[in-house]
Amino acid sequence: MLLSDGTLRFTLLVILLSLTNFNRTAAFNVSRGDIVPALNTDDYYSYEGMLQYLDELTAAFPQRVWTNDVGTTYENRTLRTITITNGDGRVGKKVILLIAAAHAREWLTPVAALYTVEQLVLNVTANAHLLEDYDWIVMPIVNPDGYEYSRSTDKEWRNNRSPNGGNCFGTNLNRNYDIGWLTGYAAQTDPCHEHYAGSKPFSEVETQAVRDIMQDLVKSGRGVMYLTLHSRHRCVYYPWVHKRTPAANVKQLREIAKIGAEAMQSAAGTPFTYEQAGVEDPFGGTSLDYAYSIGFPLSYALELSGVRGENVFSFWPPTNLLKDLADESWLGIRAMAVKAIEYYPINQTSITNAYDLSNVLKVLLLLTLITLLSG
């Protein structure tokens, strides 16, 4: 039986409204499943636990979040990044790149990195301004071999676990970048020392992975701000580290560092400072300097807090403080991101809408329905 004109128009209107709602849901998808992954801030994650959390996020928010495997460590652990967008399909956005846990014993840093991921993914409405014209790429754990060794065997362990010969293991990943390599500490040439800078720049798969991400972002004109999380000096550092000479845009670097330090200090009153890293004690091979040297206009090392009140907890704050310390770190990261976006707004002419075939068909169908309804 043929539908009457009125029934047909009503049916088409329902389809039109459904498609419109579908498109909005697809673009700003909250979750395609019933279970939203919850970040556990009651304890330190294992490496496997971190990857599981990232995988759960990508399964729950496939329109906005995806992971990439970018390398395999000496002990056969996967190096994984997570990319966070607002799901609008626009390509060519600027990027904020954040990494953590380059130093194995700094257990708080992956907690803060995962907390940042959670805030960007789950609190997408509150943080929409951070994702409107920018994507974020986060590597919560750069040094999984060293991290697991620190957790299981030697809590003070700092380096990765690649063999150096003579029963010596590990390279300091934050001395292994090709910028001022071997500048500073003599111990950087000692394969048994925690300052060991490696056999050559980028001798380690972990630093190669970060380098490749940085270079891709710079070549595409997308890399704006680089953040590396460390602990426990309660400071925001900016370039240069390997020399005392100020960076070209030192006023801008200092202003954003100040904003981050003040935001973190506002959380619980813990004093935070901000300064050029190499003024008093220059040393080379850092990711901070490398990112800046190849074209990130903003590059920072955030030394997170190991303090609450008069209690100093070094690299391993008690688990009951993890959420507060992670939130404190997020306040600094968010404040710095807001200012970075203000300084480096998106060039709208470089943005294109990413339409796949299904999107084109949806547009054509919508136009057809509108024509029929108006006839």
Side-chain angles (χ1 to χ4, degrees), residues 46-332:
S46 66
Y47 158 78
E48 291 81 7
M50 294 182 207
L51 264 56
Q52 180 180 344
Y53 178 68
L54 298 183
D55 290 342
E56 289 172 351
L57 282 177
T58 60
F61 304 95
Q63 300 292 339
R64 297 196 286 112
V65 176
W66 59 87
T67 59
N68 286 301
D69 293 345
V70 296
T72 304
T73 67
Y74 176 76
E75 294 183 344
N76 204 36
R77 292 185 175 91
T78 299
L79 298 173
R80 185 166 296 170
T81 65
I82 185 167
T83 300
I84 304 149
T85 77
N86 67 0
D88 64 6
R90 291 159 60 201
V91 298
K93 292 184 179 183
K94 302 292 187 181
V95 170
I96 293 172
L97 172 63
L98 183 149
I99 74 168
H103 288 154
R105 66 192 180 197
E106 297 171 8
W107 296 1
L108 178 61
T109 65
V111 178
L114 291 172
Y115 191 83
T116 296
V117 170
E118 181 192 53
Q119 295 305 305
L120 292 168
V121 176
L122 299 191
N123 293 336
V124 65
T125 301
N127 296 310
H129 58 298
L130 301 178
L131 293 163
E132 182 177 0
D133 294 322
Y134 272 65
D135 295 336
W136 291 60
I137 299 176
V138 179
M139 187 186 293
I141 182 162
V142 180
N143 182 9
D145 291 354
Y147 177 78
E148 286 300 308
Y149 188 77
S150 173
R151 282 167 48 86
S152 65
T153 306
D154 180 358
K155 201 173 184 180
E156 293 279 358
W157 191 257
R158 193 182 195 192
N159 296 350
N160 70 359
R161 291 294 298 166
S162 57
N164 301 326
N167 202 33
C168 295
F169 293 84
T171 291
N172 187 322
L173 299 181
N174 205 37
R175 307 291 185 270
N176 192 237
Y177 290 80
D178 192 11
I179 179 76
W181 188 67
L182 296 184
T183 297
Y185 313 125
Q188 290 181 96
T189 62
D190 181 353
C192 295
H193 199 280
E194 67 174 19
H195 281 306
Y196 182 57
S199 58
K200 61 181 179 180
F202 296 120
S203 60
E204 308 308 300
V205 67
E206 297 91 342
T207 55
Q208 293 169 22
V210 176
R211 173 200 63 192
D212 292 348
I213 296 168
M214 288 179 177
Q215 290 184 351
D216 286 346
L217 291 174
V218 170
K219 288 176 182 177
S220 65
R222 301 178 67 206
V224 172
M225 184 161 72
Y226 170 70
L227 301 170
T228 175
L229 304 186
H230 291 266
S231 64
R232 54 188 164 75
H233 294 300
R234 304 183 305 283
C235 185
V236 182
Y237 290 113
Y238 50 89
W240 297 103
V241 186
H242 74 285
K243 58 183 178 180
R244 293 183 172 88
T245 307
N249 61 332
V250 63
K251 290 184 179 179
Q252 187 181 79
L253 289 167
R254 182 175 176 82
E255 178 187 2
I256 295 175
K258 179 175 184 287
I259 287 170
E262 290 178 345
M264 289 187 283
Q265 184 166 326
S266 70
T270 301
F272 277 83
T273 59
Y274 51 95
E275 60 188 78
Q276 180 184 334
V279 171
E280 295 184 1
D281 186 24
F283 59 91
T286 65
S287 66
L288 169 63
D289 275 2
Y290 184 76
Y292 185 76
S293 72
I294 66 169
F296 278 80
L298 303 174
S299 185
Y300 297 95
L302 275 65
E303 288 274 354
L304 308 181
S305 175
V307 169
R308 265 301 175 264
E310 297 181 356
N311 298 313
V312 179
F313 303 109
S314 190
F315 300 109
W316 312 281
T319 54
N320 66 298
L321 289 178
L322 291 183
K323 187 178 187 306
D324 285 347
L325 290 170
D327 190 64
E328 173 184 89
S329 305
W330 164 242
L331 292 178

